[in-house]
Amino acid sequence: MATAPRPPLFLRPASYRRRRRRDAARLLPFVGGFLFLLPILWAPQNTFERDTAPDGIFLFGVWAFLIVLAFVISRSLAVPSEDDDPDSGNDPDDDS
Amino acid sequence: MPLNILVIASLAYVICLFLVAWVAERRADRGRLGWLRSPLVYTLSLSIYCTAWTFYGAVGYAARSGLEFLTIYLGPTLVFIGWWWLLRKLVRIGRRQRVTSIADLISSRFGKSNLLGIIVTVMAVVAATPYIALQLQSVTLSVSAFAVPGEDGSAPPGTEATAIWVAGGLALFTILFGTRNLDAKEQHHGIVTAIAVEAVVKLVALVAVGIFVVWGLAGGPADIVARIHASEIADWNLQPGRWAGLIFVSAAAVICLPRMFQVMVVECADERHLFTAAWAFPLYLFAMSLFIIPIAVIGLERMPTGANPDMFVLTLPLAEGQGALAMLAFLGGFSSATSMVIVESIALATMVSNHIVMPIWLRLRPAKAVSGDVRRIVLLSRRLSIGAVLALGYAYYRMSGGSAALAAIGLIAFAGVVQFLPAIVFGIFWRGATRVGAALGLVVGFAVWAYTLFLPSFGPDAVIPAMVFVEGPFGIDWLRPRALFGVDGMDPLIHSLFWSVTLNTGVFLLGSIVTFPGPVERMQGAAFVRVFDIAASGPRGWEKGFAETEDLLVMAQRILGDDDALAFFEAEAKGQGKAGYLPDPSPQFIARLERRLAGSVGAATAHAMISQLAGRATVTVEDLMAVASESAQIMEYSARLESQQAELARTAGQLREANEKLTQLSVQKDAFLSQISHELRTPMTSIRAFSEILTEPDMPPDMVAHYGRIIHDEAKRLTRLLDDLLDLSVLENGTVQLNLGLSNLSQMIDRALQAASHTKPERSFIIHRDLPMENIFLRTDADRLVQVFINLISNARKYCDSDHPELRVVVRHRAGRVTVDFIDNGSGIPKGKQALIFEKFARLTDQTRAGGAGLGLAICREIMANLGGTISYLPGQGGAAFRVALPLRLERKAA
C-alpha cells in the first residue's frame, strides 16, 4: 500500500484562523459555566444584603454577553472559506 | 370574564393552528418547502423547551426561591453555545443513521439492541407522564383562574371536565397531523410550523405582560430595581448544591428530553441550522426569563396574600382590569402546554410503536413481516400510543390531585430523563461503551430515581409506606429513600440526582470495561464515535446471496409504500449499472435498504425484518479492519481505490450484461430468420396449393368459394405480418409521423378495453379501474397509445393463467409525467425472462398458444420511445405487471 502524504506541520493563515475559531466555539461553554457558577463564591445565602437585584443584573449581563459571543463565533464559522477542502477532512487535531 | 368567550377564543386559536399546520403540510407535499426549512423555524420549534412550566411556573418559582429559577434556562444556554461539542455530533449521527427517537439512538448505538430500546421507551414514558399531567394541570388552573362565575350565572366547569376536554382535543390534533407520514425522516412539517407559531405567541404574551408590569404598573427599570429591593424576595438564598445541580439537570434534560430530541435531531432539516440556533435559542430563553422577576415582585406586592404565585402571569392583568392582555396571556399559556404535549406524545408514540409494538408483532407473526400491511399496523399503533400517553398523563393528574407546585413536578421529570445522559454521551464519544454497561446503567439509574424521587412524590403512604421514610425498608437504616447510604440532610432533588447519576455512570463504566461487545455493536460504536471521519457508506454486515431482491422489494413496499420502494430500488439498480427495478442483493445495497427502513420503523425492527430474509448479519475481517484502522489517510486512500474498483466492477457488469444480451439476440435473430421464413412459407404454401387446385376445370362453385376464402385469409395473415414488420422498422428509424392532439386518458383506456375484448372473448375478466384518477387530458398520439394499451390488455387476456382473472389499471400523475400500470393476477413472468420480453420475436410460450410473431411488445416499446415515454415490467406486484410512463404534454420534436 502506498504511503499517503504526511499532513503539513504548519498551516496557512486562513486555515489557522479557522481552527482557532473552532477552538473559541469549544471554549465558550466553559467560560459560560465558570461565569454562571461565580455567584457561589460570594455565597448570597449567608449575607443579609439585599442582593437579588444586583445578582440578577450580573447573571443577565453574563447571559447577554455569551449570546453575543456565540453569535459572533457561529457567524464566523458559518462563512465557508474558499480553501475549505485541503485540510478540513484530515485535520490531525480536529477529530470531534 | 365569562367562560364562553374563553372557550371561543381557545377554539379560534386552535382552528388557526389547524390552518397553519394544514397549509404547511400542503406546501411540503408540493415540495415547496422554502421558509418551512429556515433556521428561524428550527429555532422557534426548539422553544417547546419552554412549556407551561416556564410560562406560569417560572414566576411562582421566582416568588418562592428568587433567582434560582434561572438555572432551568442557564443549563440549555450552555449546551447551545457549546453546540460544537455535542449537538453538532448528535445531529450528524441522527441524519446519518436515520434515527427516529432517543430510544432508537441508544438502541442503534449499542448494536441495534431492542432490549435497550424497550428500557429507554419505558423510562421515557414514565418520566414524561408527570410532565404531561403538569401541562393539563396548568391549563385547568388557568381556566379556573379566568372563569369566575359569570354574570349570566353560568357555573365554571369542573377541573376534571376541562382536563378531559383538553387531553382529548390534543390527542385528536396530534393524531391528525403527527401520524400522516410514516417515514420519520419525511418530518412533520405541519406540526413543526404550528409549534413555531405557538413559540411566537407565548413569547409575545409573556413579554407583553412583562412590559405592562414594568412600564404600566411600575415606573420603568429603575423603579423595578427599587421595588425588588423592597420586596419579599430581595434577599435570595443561593444554595451552591442546588444552583450547580439544577444547571446540570437542565443542561442534561435539554439533550435527553424525548420532545427536545424530536425537534432538535429528528425534525432537523439541515445541519447548518445549528449555526443560528446556537445563539438564537439562548436569546429566546433570555427574552422569556427577562420579565419573570419583575412580574413576581409586582405580583407579590399587589395580589392578596395567599394568591397562587404560579398564576401571577394571568391573575395580575386580570386584577388590573386588562382583559385583553389577560386573554393574550391565557393563549400564551395554552400554547406552551399544547405544543409540549403534541411533540412529546409524537416522540413517545414513535418510540412505543417502534420498540414495543412492532417487535412483539414481528415475534407473534414473523411471516406477516413480508406479506402483511406493515404500514397500517405501524400507523395504527402510533395513533393508539398517542391516546395512551395522554390517558396516562390524565391519570397521573387525577391521582396526584393536581396540587403540587408546578416547578417540583417539572424537576422530577427532568431528573428522570437525565438518566439517559451517560449512555448518550459515552456512547458517542467512547468506543468502549457496551450494551451490557448501558443497560445496567440505565436500569440502576432509573431504579434509584424512582425509589428516591418519583415514588415519594406521590406522598408518604401513597406508594411507599411512611415508615420506610423514617426507618428504611425492613428497618435497614441506610436505604431510606431520602437519605441513601446515610447521607442525610441533603435537598431531596439533589440527593436523588446525585445518587442516581453517580450510580448510573459508575455501573455503566464498570459494565462496559468488563464486558466484550458483539460485532454489530463494535461496528455501530465506530460509526457513531467517528461519524465525522468515516465515509458515508459506513459499516455493513450483510452476507451476499441470501436474500432474493424481489422478496426484499415486496417487504419494502409494505413499509415505504409502492412508489417510494420502487423508486429506491430503481435508483439502486441504476447505481449498479443495471436497468429495471431489481438490483443485485449486494451487502452495500442491503445496508442502505436497512437504513432506509430504519427511518420508518426504527433500527432494531428494520434489522430484525431484514435478517428474516437475508439471514444473520455477519461482519467480515475487512469490515473490522476498516473500522480498527486509526489512520484517516490510509482509510481515505483505500476508499479511493475501493471506489475505483467499484466503478470498474460496475462497468464490467454493464459489459457482461450487454454481452449476454447480444449473444441472446444473435441466437434470437437466427431463430427469427427461420421463424419468419417459416411464417412466410406456411401461408405461401397453402396459397400456392389452393390456387393450383382452382386452376383445374369442373370445380363445384361452393368449393371454389371455400378455397378462395382460404386463399384470402392466408393472404391477409401474410399482409398483417408484413405490416407489423414494416411498422417496427418505421418506428425504429424514428421516421414515424406522430398525430399529436389532446385526448382523455379514460376514453383511451375505454377504447383499448373494447378493442381488446375480441381477444379470447370467452374469458371474462374483472377490470379494476380508478376513474377519477384516469380523468386527465394528455397531449400525445392517441391512436398509437391506444395501440400499446390494446397490446397489453390482449396479452393479459391471452396469458393470465388465473382461474378468476382480474386486471387492475392504476394511473398516477406526478411532476408532469403520467404512469399507467396494467397488473393482472396470473403467475407473472419469471425473473430470467423479464429482460427479454421487449425484444423482437421473443416468445415465452410455444407458438401455438401465442398465435403471433412475437412483435407486439417490441412495437409497444418503440411506440413509447417515440412518444417520449417508456414501457417496463414491474416486478413484485403479484402477477404480470407493465408500467407505461409518458409525459403529460409531448412537445413536437424539432424537425
Side-chain angles (χ1 to χ4, degrees):
Chain A
M1 192 174 284
T3 46
R6 277 166 53 108
L9 194 53
F10 299 106
L11 296 167
R12 277 166 295 168
S15 320
Y16 182 87
R17 291 259 40 101
R18 198 169 56 249
R19 291 206 186 167
R20 297 297 83 79
R21 285 198 291 270
R22 283 181 205 160
D23 290 346
R26 293 198 183 105
L27 199 58
L28 195 57
F30 295 99
V31 174
F34 172 75
L35 290 173
F36 284 149
L37 292 179
L38 267 188
I40 291 178
L41 287 184
W42 60 77
Q45 84 270 30
N46 293 330
T47 61
F48 293 99
E49 283 170 46
R50 305 180 165 264
D51 42 18
T52 298
D55 285 1
I57 292 169
F58 167 77
L59 287 170
F60 276 102
V62 168
W63 203 346
F65 169 71
L66 289 174
I67 291 170
V68 170
L69 273 187
F71 174 74
V72 171
I73 291 173
S74 80
R75 263 302 149 90
S76 70
L77 282 171
V79 176
S81 44
E82 54 285 350
D83 57 350
D84 225 354
D85 289 350
D87 45 24
S88 62
N90 48 4
D91 278 359
D93 64 340
D94 187 273
D95 51 357
S96 57
Chain B
M1 182 167 295
L3 180 71
N4 42 14
I5 294 187
L6 200 66
V7 172
I8 288 170
S10 309
L11 277 180
Y13 179 70
V14 169
I15 289 170
C16 277
L17 280 188
F18 254 95
L19 282 178
V20 167
W22 184 74
V23 168
E25 288 273 316
R26 284 283 302 261
R27 286 180 67 100
D29 281 351
R30 292 188 194 152
R32 291 186 314 181
L33 287 162
W35 51 267
L36 289 181
R37 301 173 60 123
S38 73
L40 183 69
V41 170
Y42 178 67
T43 309
L44 286 175
S45 71
L46 290 174
S47 75
I48 50 154
Y49 181 73
C50 302
T51 62
W53 177 26
T54 296
F55 196 84
Y56 294 122
V59 172
Y61 198 160
R64 292 184 190 98
S65 326
L67 286 171
E68 194 181 282
F69 83 94
L70 276 181
T71 52
I72 306 302
Y73 312 100
L74 296 182
T77 300
L78 291 179
V79 169
F80 269 82
I81 62 175
W83 61 286
W84 194 269
W85 285 108
L86 190 72
L87 297 186
R88 194 171 66 107
K89 199 163 188 180
L90 264 185
V91 170
R92 173 71 66 91
I93 290 172
R95 296 172 61 78
R96 183 69 65 76
Q97 301 280 335
R98 286 177 165 267
V99 168
T100 57
S101 65
I102 194 158
D104 193 31
L105 177 90
I106 294 178
S107 118
S108 169
R109 160 63 181 83
F110 295 103
K112 303 175 186 179
S113 145
N114 202 44
L115 174 75
L116 276 177
I118 293 175
I119 294 176
V120 175
T121 304
V122 170
M123 285 170 67
V125 170
V126 173
T129 303
Y131 216 153
I132 289 175
L134 172 65
Q135 311 303 318
L136 296 178
Q137 179 189 337
S138 73
V139 174
T140 49
L141 269 182
S142 64
V143 168
S144 50
F146 232 113
V148 285
E151 300 82 41
D152 52 351
S154 62
T159 47
E160 283 97 61
T162 321
I164 263 208
W165 276 104
V166 171
L170 286 175
L172 188 70
F173 186 89
T174 314
I175 287 170
L176 273 181
F177 283 99
T179 56
R180 270 194 52 200
N181 302 330
L182 182 52
D183 190 336
K185 270 294 160 226
E186 280 164 21
Q187 297 164 339
H188 309 90
H189 294 288
I191 295 267
V192 169
T193 315
I195 300 299
V197 171
E198 297 205 278
V200 175
V201 170
K202 61 195 182 197
L203 182 65
V204 166
L206 199 57
V207 169
V209 173
I211 288 175
F212 167 71
V213 164
V214 172
W215 281 276
L217 298 179
D223 186 34
I224 280 289
V225 171
R227 284 176 193 239
I228 293 174
H229 270 304
S231 73
E232 297 170 29
I233 54 172
D235 186 26
W236 68 300
N237 282 328
L238 183 148
Q239 303 164 27
R242 266 183 84 86
W243 182 256
L246 289 177
I247 289 183
F248 167 75
V249 161
S250 60
V254 82
I255 304 164
C256 300
L257 281 169
R259 67 171 192 281
M260 286 311 290
F261 192 86
Q262 178 81 25
V263 287
M264 203 159 63
V265 177
V266 181
E267 307 276 355
C268 180
D270 189 339
E271 252 173 78
R272 280 167 301 178
H273 291 175
L274 276 179
F275 284 100
T276 307
W279 57 269
F281 182 60
L283 184 64
Y284 186 94
L285 296 177
F286 181 89
M288 288 293 278
S289 321
L290 194 56
F291 293 105
I292 299 293
I293 288 276
I295 296 173
V297 166
I298 302 291
L300 286 172
E301 192 182 298
R302 297 205 166 211
M303 299 301 287
T305 40
N308 183 0
D310 280 331
M311 285 290 127
F312 277 171
V313 176
L314 201 58
T315 47
L316 201 56
L318 267 183
E320 299 296 329
Q322 299 285 337
L325 188 61
M327 177 57 83
L328 184 62
F330 173 78
L331 287 182
F334 190 67
S335 293
S336 325
T338 51
S339 55
M340 178 273 175
V341 174
I342 289 169
V343 180
E344 186 87 43
S345 53
I346 288 181
L348 292 178
T350 310
M351 282 155 71
V352 170
S353 83
N354 284 355
H355 295 283
I356 296 182
V357 178
M358 285 302 292
I360 291 177
W361 189 74
L362 280 179
R363 180 78 44 97
L364 289 182
R365 23 179 59 179
K368 284 274 179 133
V370 183
S371 60
D373 193 347
V374 181
R375 279 167 85 80
R376 275 233 317 276
I377 300 287
V378 173
L379 282 180
L380 183 70
S381 74
R382 275 190 201 172
R383 287 176 187 148
L384 291 179
S385 311
I386 287 174
V389 164
L390 280 166
L392 269 180
Y394 178 74
Y396 184 95
Y397 166 72
R398 290 296 305 273
M399 256 175 66
S400 70
S403 59
L406 296 182
I409 305 187
L411 284 175
I412 291 172
F414 270 29
V417 294
V418 166
Q419 306 307 324
F420 302 148
L421 191 72
I424 294 177
V425 170
F426 285 109
I428 68 176
F429 286 108
W430 182 39
R431 274 168 57 183
T434 69
R435 186 167 59 104
V436 178
L440 286 177
L442 285 171
V443 169
V444 167
F446 183 65
V448 174
W449 167 78
Y451 180 63
T452 56
L453 196 63
F454 181 63
L455 297 180
S457 78
F458 293 97
D461 275 334
V463 186
I464 301 179
M467 211 190 60
V468 173
F469 284 95
V470 186
E471 298 173 4
F474 315 111
I476 307 173
D477 182 55
W478 53 274
L479 279 183
R480 278 175 293 155
R482 288 276 152 88
L484 222 48
F485 305 108
V487 180
D488 221 336
M490 247 169 131
D491 178 82
L493 178 78
I494 299 302
H495 168 265
S496 167
L497 186 72
F498 174 76
W499 282 120
S500 60
V501 174
T502 308
L503 292 175
N504 180 343
T505 314
V507 170
F508 174 57
L509 293 180
L510 191 71
S512 296
I513 287 170
V514 298
T515 54
F516 195 83
V520 181
E521 222 178 312
R522 295 177 75 182
M523 307 284 305
Q524 287 295 98
F528 273 56
V529 174
R530 299 174 61 85
V531 66
F532 291 109
D533 306 334
I534 291 179
S537 65
R540 49 183 193 262
W542 299 105
E543 194 128 325
K544 191 181 169 117
F546 278 123
E548 191 62 48
T549 315
E550 196 153 347
D551 295 340
L552 290 173
L553 173 61
V554 171
M555 180 183 75
Q557 282 178 338
R558 302 283 176 243
I559 297 176
L560 304 173
D562 293 358
D563 285 350
D564 288 354
L566 280 173
F568 179 71
F569 274 63
E570 194 179 10
E572 287 290 331
K574 204 170 268 172
Q576 293 182 354
K578 293 181 70 173
Y581 294 93
L582 294 178
D584 285 331
S586 67
Q588 293 91 328
F589 160 67
I590 298 184
R592 276 196 292 270
L593 176 66
E594 185 192 332
R595 227 170 4 239
R596 180 75 198 253
L597 296 182
S600 298
V601 292
T605 307
H607 194 73
M609 292 181 80
I610 297 235
S611 42
Q612 286 186 349
L613 290 177
R616 251 167 58 83
T618 53
V619 180
T620 62
V621 179
E622 293 105 85
D623 286 336
L624 278 181
M625 272 173 62
V627 173
S629 159
E630 292 295 335
S631 160
Q633 280 88 357
I634 291 176
M635 282 191 41
E636 196 189 321
Y637 183 72
S638 61
R640 216 179 305 140
L641 274 183
E642 213 169 272
S643 75
Q644 281 169 353
Q645 192 194 355
E647 178 72 42
L648 280 177
R650 204 174 308 139
T651 321
Q654 280 168 328
L655 283 177
R656 202 162 29 219
E657 208 165 78
N659 186 37
E660 254 170 44
K661 218 165 173 182
L662 280 178
T663 325
Q664 275 172 335
L665 273 182
S666 140
V667 172
Q668 269 190 339
K669 204 129 211 161
D670 290 346
F672 163 66
L673 277 180
S674 65
Q675 177 75 38
I676 201 72
S677 36
H678 179 74
E679 291 275 342
L680 290 174
R681 253 184 65 190
T682 322
M684 283 308 268
T685 316
S686 50
I687 290 173
R688 210 178 64 201
F690 284 111
S691 50
E692 254 177 45
I693 297 174
L694 282 181
T695 51
E696 283 180 19
D698 304 335
M699 288 288 286
D702 55 332
M703 291 291 268
V704 172
H706 180 61
Y707 292 147
R709 208 158 42 242
I710 290 177
I711 291 174
H712 181 72
D713 283 350
E714 292 298 308
K716 248 168 54 185
R717 221 176 105 192
L718 212 50
T719 323
R720 206 166 55 226
L721 186 60
L722 291 173
D723 276 350
D724 276 359
L725 283 170
L726 206 60
D727 207 14
L728 196 57
S729 87
V730 167
L731 284 163
E732 280 184 337
N733 293 335
T735 48
V736 65
Q737 274 293 318
L738 289 182
N739 198 3
L740 294 187
L742 271 185
S743 27
N744 185 295
L745 180 61
S746 187
Q747 288 168 7
M748 283 191 264
I749 296 177
D750 286 343
R751 269 169 65 192
L753 281 170
Q754 191 154 26
S757 61
H758 300 306
T759 315
K760 294 218 175 180
E762 71 279 7
R763 301 195 72 182
S764 67
F765 256 75
I766 302 175
I767 313 272
H768 300 285
R769 295 175 61 179
D770 182 3
L771 291 174
M773 277 302 288
E774 284 174 11
N775 191 16
I776 27 181
F777 279 86
L778 300 175
R779 182 181 157 78
T780 188
D781 186 330
D783 292 335
R784 286 293 188 177
L785 191 58
V786 168
Q787 190 185 343
V788 173
F789 290 167
I790 292 175
N791 206 299
L792 291 177
I793 299 167
S794 321
N795 276 355
R797 294 190 76 97
K798 276 188 236 164
Y799 302 119
C800 179
D801 50 7
S802 166
D803 292 336
H804 305 284
E806 290 179 18
L807 180 69
R808 266 192 303 141
V809 184
V810 183
V811 177
R812 288 194 186 83
H813 173 201
R814 177 179 296 170
R817 285 185 81 78
V818 177
T819 61
V820 188
D821 296 350
F822 294 87
I823 305 167
D824 70 27
N825 61 344
S827 54
I829 295 175
K831 194 184 158 198
K833 309 277 177 130
Q834 286 170 11
L836 276 181
I837 47 176
F838 291 106
E839 303 302 338
K840 277 169 276 184
F841 319 114
R843 260 180 307 206
L844 302 183
T845 50
D846 59 289
Q847 183 205 346
T848 47
R849 244 187 97 193
L855 290 175
L857 284 175
I859 292 177
C860 286
R861 188 179 66 173
E862 294 307 324
I863 291 177
M864 289 318 296
N866 275 290
L867 292 180
T870 55
I871 177 168
S872 51
Y873 185 75
L874 279 185
Q877 305 297 322
F882 288 88
R883 165 165 291 182
V884 176
L886 71 162
L888 192 60
R889 303 267 180 270
L890 178 65
E891 298 307 327
R892 200 180 292 272
K893 269 181 261 169

